[in-house]
Amino acid sequence: MERSGGDQGPHLPAPSLWPVGFAVGIVCILAGLVVSWPAVAAGALITVIFGFLWVRDATTEHRRMDLHEEPAGGPAPARRSVEPIPAHKGEAAMPAPHDEAEIDRFPRNKFLEGATLGLGAAIGGIVTLPVLGFAVLPAFTDQETEEVDVGTLGDYPEGEWRIATFLEDPDAGEVSRRTAYVRNNGPLEGRPSFTVVSNRCVHLGCPVQPGGPSEEDKKKIVRGEGGTQVELTPTQPSNFGCPCHGGAYDIEGNRTAGPPVRALDRYEFSIRNGRLFLGKTYSVSEVQGEGKDARIKRYRLAGPGQHVDGLESWLYPIQPPE
Ligand code: FES
């Protein structure tokens, strides 16, 4: 049956899968911010492609309408100038109210639809972007760990262990207090060699204790460059143990018993002007050998309980960058 007066129904968009693809792309970008930059790039690509297809789909009808407005016989002829018609003669300037079939409501509907969507997007952006920025950006900025001066080489007699306690970030205060077990291994190829083990248990993060006496009465405080203050306590461990769940480690930090899944983390170190500086921590799956002859299987810092090698490392949930 022929419809008179054009489409009178609401202008609903045709069903489309493009918004789903667009949403998948956004999810990939957000997940990629946590996981890796290649995932962000893939998400951006998906978002752009599906966004383009979505926009093209949504504007198809509008573009068709533009084409139909073009007269079939080419451009309209120029109007002749005519004499003005008196107001009481001629046709009505506007279509009669009852002749609704001839009123084209489409442009207004489209305008309202676009204005509503645009306004919603603007308000959503104003509300969401600052929250997203504060939540996500700090994880990617100011991640560099400052090196900490923990004293001169003379504060670490060769072959002995010291418990070094210090503030990693003095501005952050006590929450940044760290403890490392430090042993001077003596020279290696003409350069000093140290073993610097973190006291953070790799099971759930409890403080690991040295398995041997500590000489609290010989504790001393040394001051480093920049005013850092480090407590050094002599200790004679034969191993390390965790009081929380019975995790046990040998003197090189290898796991020997209990729930920990890898060796103790270690600190990077450097020596400048006869002083020892501790840097970032890194994870270790295993240490072969001892002291300066040790061969360390080193990995990017992992979270407590996280495997760093083997099949389990692939099955572990994705970790945010540390
Ligand atoms: S936290 Fe150390 S064994 Fe559980």
Side-chain angles (χ1 to χ4, degrees):
M1 188 178 74
E2 187 181 344
R3 291 184 67 181
S4 63
D7 183 7
Q8 297 294 309
H11 295 276
L12 296 174
S16 167
L17 283 177
W18 308 139
V20 177
F22 185 80
V24 168
I26 296 290
V27 169
C28 282
I29 291 175
L30 294 177
L33 288 175
V34 174
V35 180
S36 69
W37 291 114
V40 173
L45 189 64
I46 294 171
T47 304
V48 169
I49 291 174
F50 279 90
F52 171 76
L53 293 172
W54 187 10
V55 169
R56 196 186 68 160
D57 213 22
T59 57
T60 300
E61 196 176 340
H62 186 66
R63 283 185 278 118
R64 271 202 210 113
M65 195 182 73
D66 285 348
L67 283 175
H68 291 164
E69 281 177 353
E70 187 76 23
R79 288 191 175 187
R80 290 182 294 124
S81 65
V82 293
E83 289 296 319
I85 301 171
H88 62 281
K89 296 181 178 177
E91 298 175 1
M94 294 286 290
H98 65 271
D99 195 9
E100 289 184 3
E102 293 182 6
I103 299 175
D104 187 1
R105 297 177 187 277
F106 182 73
R108 181 185 292 177
N109 288 351
K110 276 292 175 192
F111 170 76
L112 290 175
E113 186 181 315
T116 307
L117 288 176
L119 206 59
I123 292 172
I126 290 170
V127 171
T128 309
L129 286 180
V131 175
L132 210 58
F134 282 116
V136 173
L137 283 184
F140 298 92
T141 59
D142 200 20
Q143 292 290 300
E144 285 301 307
T145 305
E146 293 285 326
E147 289 194 323
V148 180
D149 180 350
V150 291
T152 65
L153 296 187
D155 294 320
Y156 298 88
E158 187 173 328
E160 296 185 14
W161 285 93
R162 291 290 182 272
I163 306 171
T165 305
F166 54 90
L167 295 183
E168 191 175 54
D169 180 2
D171 292 337
E174 284 298 317
V175 292
S176 72
R177 184 165 289 283
R178 301 287 182 268
T179 296
Y181 298 114
V182 185
R183 180 182 60 200
N184 183 346
N185 296 322
L188 175 66
E189 296 174 354
R191 300 171 62 188
S193 162
F194 282 84
T195 296
V196 189
V197 177
S198 166
N199 81 326
R200 184 182 72 153
C201 181
V202 296
H203 175 222
L204 292 178
C206 283
V208 163
Q209 304 298 314
S214 297
E215 300 172 77
E216 288 291 329
D217 54 327
K218 292 186 180 170
K219 178 191 290 186
K220 73 174 185 180
I221 295 178
V222 299
R223 294 193 181 277
E225 287 178 356
T228 55
Q229 188 170 299
V230 184
E231 290 178 13
L232 293 181
T233 307
T235 185
Q236 296 155 33
S238 56
N239 53 26
F240 299 99
C242 178
C244 290
H245 313 102
Y249 306 86
D250 69 15
I251 196 64
E252 291 297 325
N254 284 312
R255 175 217 175 252
T256 54
V261 297
R262 59 175 198 264
L264 287 171
D265 297 336
R266 292 194 175 206
Y267 280 86
E268 293 178 344
F269 69 89
S270 61
I271 293 160
R272 297 197 298 273
N273 302 324
R275 304 191 71 87
L276 176 63
F277 290 83
L278 302 190
K280 293 186 296 185
T281 45
Y282 60 91
S283 287
V284 176
S285 67
E286 184 187 2
V287 180
Q288 296 169 348
E290 283 193 14
K292 58 188 170 190
D293 299 321
R295 298 179 65 81
I296 300 166
K297 292 186 179 174
R298 150 182 194 147
Y299 294 84
R300 184 167 167 250
L301 183 65
Q306 186 178 1
H307 291 265
V308 290
D309 62 357
L311 179 63
E312 295 99 330
S313 65
W314 292 96
L315 301 176
Y316 202 83
I318 294 168
Q319 291 285 293
E322 295 204 33

